Amino acid sequence: MKIAIAHDYLIQMGGAERVVEVFHHMYPEAPIYTTVFNGSRLTENLKDADIRASWLQKIPGVKSNFKNVLPLYPMAIKDLDFSGFDIVLSSSSAFMKSIQVPKHTFHLCYCHTPMRFAWDYDTYMERQSNSGLFKRVLKLYMQQLKMWDQRTSKNVNQFVANSSVVKTRIRNYYHRDADVIFPPINTSRFSSSSSIGDYYLIVSRLVSYKRIDLAVEAFNRNGLKLYIVGDGPDRKRLEGMAKGNVSFLGRLEDEQVTGLMAQCRAFIFPGEEDFGITPLEANAAGRPVIAYQAGGALDTIVPHVNGVFFKRQEVEDLLEAIQEVERYPWDIGGIINHARKFDEGAFRVRFKQYVEQAYVNFLKGG
C-alpha cells in the first residue's frame, strides 16, 4: 500500500505534531503533506521526513505569521495532489481533514478536534487583545468557515477521534460517527525522581484559551512556586500579571522538560483540552496532575490514582485542588502504570490494525 500523511501545519511542536512523529515512525516512506512548515522547529524525529508543503510556504514571513493568512488555507489544501496513493492519513485540528483525494484513495482522518477557532469562536477569542471591530468581522468569516468545514467533512471516509469529547464534537458538527483511539505517549522518555522540588509545573503553548491566567492568579495568591514552560502570544500579558514566585522559562529542550516533570510537586492543567498529552507525560514521570474537569482530561485523569480534578475554572477551585494534591499520599508506581496504558507501542499496534481493517472495508464498499 502506498501511504501519504497530511497535517495542518508544522510550525509549532505540540501534541498533534507528536502524533505525526509516530505516523512517520510507522510509515517512514510516506511523504508528509502540509500547508507550511518551519524546518528550524522540527523535532529530530521529523528531520529526515519527506515534507511537501503547499504554495503557502513561498509567502514571505508566513512561518512567523501563519495565522494571518487564515483565508488562504482552504485554497492551499485544494491544490495538494494525492494521486497514486492508496491511503491518506490526515492528522487534523483545522484544515487537512478537508483535502480532496482520488475516488479510489482511502482517506482516514485522525481528528484532534473540529477547528476550535471556528466552532467555539467566543471561547477561543474571549481573552484575545484584538479590537472589538476585528473580532466582529472575524466572527462573520467564521460563520462561512464553519459551513465550509461541515461541507468538506464529507471528504473523509473514516474519522478517528483522539478522545471521547472529540467524538461527540464530530457527531454534533459533522453528523458523522467516529471511533476513539487515544494519542500515543512516549513513556520511555520519562523516569521518576527520588527528589521532589518545591515547584509546580505547566508545559503549554501560551494562548489565552488554555487558561494559564487562572493558574497565575492562583499562585499569585498562595505564593507557591510555579514554573511555566512554553511560549506564545499570551506570554506578555501573563508575565504582566504574575508575581515573583511565577517563573516563565520559555521553550526548553525535551530533556530539560522531562527533568522538570520528574521533580515537580504536581503538574497543572487548567484549560479544557481536546485530549492533553502533557499530563500523561508528567504521570509517566510519576507526578500527579491537577486538571480542570472537562475535555480530554475526563478520559485520562482518575481521581486519587493519577491526579485530582477541579470542577470550575475559578481560582478558589484550583487552590482547593492544590491543597488536596498536597494532602494525598500518592503512589508513584501506580501513577506510572496508569500512564503506560497510553504508551506509544500499544498505539502503533492498535492504529496499524485499525487502518488495515478500515482499508479492507473501504475496498469492499463497506
Side-chain angles (χ1 to χ4, degrees), residues 112-129:
H112 304 283
T113 183
M115 50 178 73
R116 288 181 68 153
F117 50 84
W119 291 100
D120 194 16
Y121 174 82
D122 289 334
T123 301
Y124 194 86
M125 293 294 292
E126 187 177 16
R127 290 168 179 81
Q128 299 282 6
S129 59

Side-chain angles (χ1 to χ4, degrees), residues 82-102:
F82 294 97
S83 300
F85 292 103
D86 301 301
I87 298 173
V88 176
L89 301 177
S90 65
S91 159
S92 183
S93 59
F95 301 96
M96 272 298 176
K97 72 111 187 70
S98 302
I99 53 174
Q100 296 177 340
V101 303

Side-chain angles (χ1 to χ4, degrees), residues 6-9 33-36 52 54 77 80 82 90-100 107 109 148 156:
H7 184 65
D8 297 316
Y9 20 68
Y33 287 80
T34 191
T35 54
V36 60
R52 305 178 185 182
S54 74
I77 65 163
L80 296 175
F82 294 97
S90 65
S91 159
S92 183
S93 59
F95 301 96
M96 272 298 176
K97 72 111 187 70
S98 302
I99 53 174
Q100 296 177 340
H107 177 193
C109 175
W148 174 86
V156 176

Side-chain angles (χ1 to χ4, degrees), residues 173-193:
Y173 303 153
Y174 301 153
H175 312 298
R176 298 284 301 275
D177 195 17
D179 293 311
V180 177
I181 299 179
F182 298 129
I185 310 297
N186 184 0
T187 59
S188 64
R189 281 179 50 213
F190 303 88
S191 58
S192 61
S193 173

Side-chain angles (χ1 to χ4, degrees), residues 204-270:
S204 176
R205 285 186 295 117
L206 304 186
V207 291
S208 60
Y209 80 88
K210 291 182 178 286
R211 295 308 315 271
I212 310 301
D213 60 318
L214 179 66
V216 171
E217 289 177 7
F219 281 83
N220 279 348
R221 192 179 300 184
N222 67 17
L224 299 175
K225 283 186 184 178
L226 174 65
Y227 291 166
I228 299 175
V229 176
D231 208 345
D234 208 28
R235 179 170 177 172
K236 186 175 180 180
R237 180 179 77 93
L238 293 170
E239 287 181 325
M241 62 186 289
K243 292 184 178 179
N245 57 306
V246 179
S247 301
F248 292 81
L249 307 184
R251 290 191 180 92
L252 298 178
E253 297 297 323
D254 283 352
E255 294 76 16
Q256 295 171 287
V257 175
T258 57
L260 286 170
M261 282 186 170
Q263 295 190 318
C264 70
R265 299 200 66 76
F267 187 88
I268 310 293
F269 196 59

Side-chain angles (χ1 to χ4, degrees), residues 29 36 58 84 198 237-238 301 311 313:
E29 302 302 318
V36 60
K58 298 178 182 178
D198 61 351
R237 180 179 77 93
L238 293 170
I301 304 300
K311 291 185 178 180
Q313 285 179 314

